[in-house]
Amino acid sequence: LKVIEKVSEMQALADAWREEKQKIGFVPTMGALHEGHLSLIRRARELCDRVVVSIFVNPTQFGPAEDFAKYPRPIEADSEWCRREGVDTLFLPSVEEMYPDGNQTYVQVDGLTERLCGRSRPGHFRGVATIVAKLFLCVKPHVAVFGAKDFQQAAMVRRMVRDLLFDLQIEVAPTVREASGLAISSRNAYLTPEEKISATVLYQSLNLAESLIQSGERSCERIIAAMGSLIDAVDGTRVDYIEIVDEVDLQPVAIVDRRVVIALAVFVGQTRLIDNRVVEGGWRSFPR
Ligand code: AMP
């Protein structure tokens, strides 16, 4: 495992690999690596000759009241994971390296970022789009792998790649979960054992929504209300949002008459968790 901290060194290595016709796979992360990240690394391995993982806790995507300072940074354990997974290069730039002169240039993807997490976290997606674009210019990947857990982020990155004509392919890998159904996240480390049990209600509410749809319910208002009641019944939880949106443009739908994404964000104690599920809608499940 080669650890690179300098942008210029990362770019030179990417150029050398490209010269040798090596296909570069890239997994951007904020570290505190877990099975979710490892699944992305394995996907990149399958698709490419070389795999770069970046760990960068990006200040421009955190709000002033958010957890930038306390975000976990277990760099020794993270490098060990990368070594074991056969990662070629760990790109580990400092904040000064990525933002040498502060920053005056941002990438803003309109439309897709206005609702859902964009509404509760103003400026978040602008920070993500900006850093992802910058990391692409460092690593020069052929393929970049993102997780479906952050489906709005993945949709935004896809759109940015199309709009800015980045010459690379975006791959989205499924959400990895614990046996309880809880989506694995670096932020789960903030949860107490009791909160970790409460947090399974996100997954359970998605199961409830899916089973309602399977039994013929099509009203998003009623589905959302049922999910909200299930979550409110769990002590210490507070719903940030529950939305049912079109899979492509992420605009809310009133009736489940197509493939939709059911997405939610819930505070469990102080920790904000997200999850989502794509559900096949339409009227197909009714007997003809
Ligand atoms: P993060 O380090 O949380 O910024 O996440 C880095 C990448 O890992 C993003 O593309 C996430 O969507 C992805 N990721 C995070 N958690 C999971 C998970 N449980 N399953 C699959 N991918 C994940």
Side-chain angles (χ1 to χ4, degrees), residues 57 76 124 128 132 144 154-155 173 195 200 204 222 252 266:
V57 184
E76 284 307 319
H124 168 70
V128 173
V132 169
E195 286 174 341
T200 59
Q204 286 153 12
R222 284 198 295 265
V266 176

Side-chain angles (χ1 to χ4, degrees), residues 28-31 34 36-37 40 71 146-147 149-150 153 174-176 184:
T29 81
M30 298 205 302
H34 52 62
H37 298 119
L40 308 188
Y71 198 85
F146 290 82
K149 187 175 85 75
D150 301 273
Q153 168 174 286
T175 301
V176 178
I184 299 179

Side-chain angles (χ1 to χ4, degrees), residues 13-286:
L13 179 61
D15 287 342
W17 280 340
R18 280 182 166 258
E19 194 73 25
E20 296 163 12
K21 305 279 180 243
Q22 304 274 333
K23 193 170 177 187
I24 305 171
F26 178 38
V27 180
T29 81
M30 298 205 302
L33 299 183
H34 52 62
E35 281 297 328
H37 298 119
L38 303 189
S39 76
L40 308 188
I41 294 171
R42 288 169 198 154
R43 186 80 190 116
R45 259 261 149 283
E46 279 168 18
L47 296 172
C48 299
D49 307 307
R50 299 287 178 179
V51 175
V52 179
V53 171
S54 66
I55 296 180
F56 183 65
V57 184
N58 172 37
T60 67
Q61 73 190 65
F62 286 80
E66 291 184 355
D67 55 343
F68 175 71
K70 74 162 186 180
Y71 198 85
R73 292 165 170 85
I75 194 57
E76 284 307 319
D78 285 352
S79 335
E80 189 50 39
W81 277 120
C82 288
R83 205 166 285 123
R84 276 193 221 162
E85 291 295 325
V87 170
D88 295 277
T89 295
L90 175 57
F91 182 44
L92 201 61
S94 64
V95 172
E96 296 67 39
E97 189 67 15
M98 290 309 289
Y99 297 103
D101 278 313
N103 204 52
Q104 297 185 343
T105 306
Y106 291 92
V107 179
Q108 167 72 42
V109 180
D110 290 340
L112 292 179
T113 61
E114 278 150 23
R115 302 185 62 84
L116 305 158
C117 290
R119 181 167 294 165
S120 352
R121 304 185 71 190
H124 168 70
F125 284 117
R126 184 180 85 148
V128 173
T130 303
I131 197 62
V132 169
K134 290 171 74 125
L135 289 167
F136 285 171
L137 295 168
C138 297
V139 176
K140 311 188 185 193
H142 297 86
V143 179
V145 189
F146 290 82
K149 187 175 85 75
D150 301 273
F151 88 101
Q152 191 177 14
Q153 168 174 286
M156 178 195 74
V157 170
R158 275 220 164 96
R159 181 70 206 213
M160 176 187 81
V161 163
R162 274 210 304 279
D163 285 350
L164 295 184
L165 311 177
F166 274 104
D167 183 16
L168 60 89
Q169 172 196 335
I170 298 297
E171 186 71 15
V172 178
T175 301
V176 178
R177 297 175 182 280
E178 297 197 350
S180 66
L182 176 65
I184 299 179
S185 161
S186 306
R187 290 193 166 96
N188 292 354
Y190 300 149
L191 301 172
T192 65
E194 297 76 33
E195 286 174 341
K196 212 165 169 191
I197 295 166
S198 303
T200 59
V201 77
L202 280 85
Y203 178 70
Q204 286 153 12
S205 74
L206 291 169
N207 288 346
L208 172 64
E210 186 164 9
S211 68
L212 286 171
I213 292 167
Q214 275 166 1
S215 52
E217 179 63 83
R218 288 293 177 271
S219 155
C220 293
E221 195 182 324
R222 284 198 295 265
I223 296 164
I224 290 169
M227 292 173 73
S229 304
L230 187 76
I231 296 166
D232 288 342
V234 177
D235 272 350
T237 62
R238 180 167 60 82
V239 171
D240 179 18
Y241 69 75
I242 305 172
E243 289 199 47
I244 302 181
V245 299
D246 179 276
E247 196 202 10
V248 179
D249 65 14
L250 310 193
Q251 290 304 304
V253 298
I255 298 288
V256 184
D257 56 359
R258 65 195 95 164
R259 255 166 89 92
V260 294
V261 186
I262 306 171
L264 74 166
V266 176
F267 283 94
V268 179
Q270 301 298 308
T271 308
R272 185 176 173 281
L273 302 174
I274 59 172
D275 204 344
N276 70 83
R277 187 172 306 171
V278 177
V279 175
E280 201 59 64
W283 304 91
R284 231 168 302 172
S285 50
F286 284 100

